[in-house]
Amino acid sequence: VMARGVNPEILKLQKKNEVLNKDYHELRNLYDQLLVEAPKESNDPRRLMLLKSQVFMLERQCHNMTLQLNQRQVSLQHAHTTLENTASEMENWLTDSNKDTVLSRRQSWRMFSRQ
C-alpha cells in the first residue's frame, strides 16, 4: 500500500525543492558577490535587477514547494491512519468467533467515516 512506503510524488517534490534551494543559494551567492564588488566596479543596473528578481522568484518557489510538501504529508498521514483503522476493524470483524456475524450498514458507515 502506498501509505506504508514513500509516495513517489513526495520524493519528486522533495527533489524539486532541493534543486530550487540549490539554485536559490547559487543566485544568492552571485548577488552577495555583486554587492561586495560594488565599490570596486560599476555594475550594470539591469544585471543587478535581474539577479534580484531571480532571487525573489526562487525564494517564493521554495516557500510554495515547502508548503505543498507539508500539505501532502499531512494528507498522506491522514489517509494512512484511516486505512490502518479500517483494516484493523475489518480484521477484528473477520476473526470474530461468531461466524454468522453480519456487518450492518451502520457499523460499516461508522467504520469508514470515523476519521
Side-chain angles (χ1 to χ4, degrees), residues 62-108:
C62 286
H63 178 71
N64 288 339
M65 292 295 289
T66 302
L67 287 177
Q68 289 174 0
L69 187 59
N70 290 338
Q71 289 171 351
R72 176 67 64 182
Q73 285 176 324
V74 168
S75 297
L76 287 176
Q77 186 61 39
H78 178 70
H80 177 71
T81 303
T82 302
L83 287 172
E84 278 188 340
N85 291 340
T86 303
S88 176
E89 289 283 336
M90 293 300 284
E91 187 175 312
N92 289 338
W93 180 72
L94 290 173
T95 59
D96 191 2
S97 61
N98 184 2
K99 298 296 180 189
D100 294 333
T101 302
V102 175
L103 185 63
S104 71
R105 180 178 287 204
R106 176 181 234 160
Q107 289 171 315
S108 62

Side-chain angles (χ1 to χ4, degrees), residues 9-39:
E9 191 171 341
I10 285 182
L11 289 176
K12 182 180 172 184
L13 288 172
Q14 285 175 335
K15 287 179 184 178
K16 196 169 187 179
N17 198 18
E18 288 172 10
V19 169
L20 287 172
N21 277 325
K22 182 182 171 194
D23 288 347
Y24 162 71
H25 289 294
E26 287 176 5
L27 283 172
R28 191 61 161 170
N29 288 336
L30 284 173
Y31 174 71
D32 291 340
Q33 183 180 358
L34 277 175
L35 292 178
V36 169
E37 293 173 357

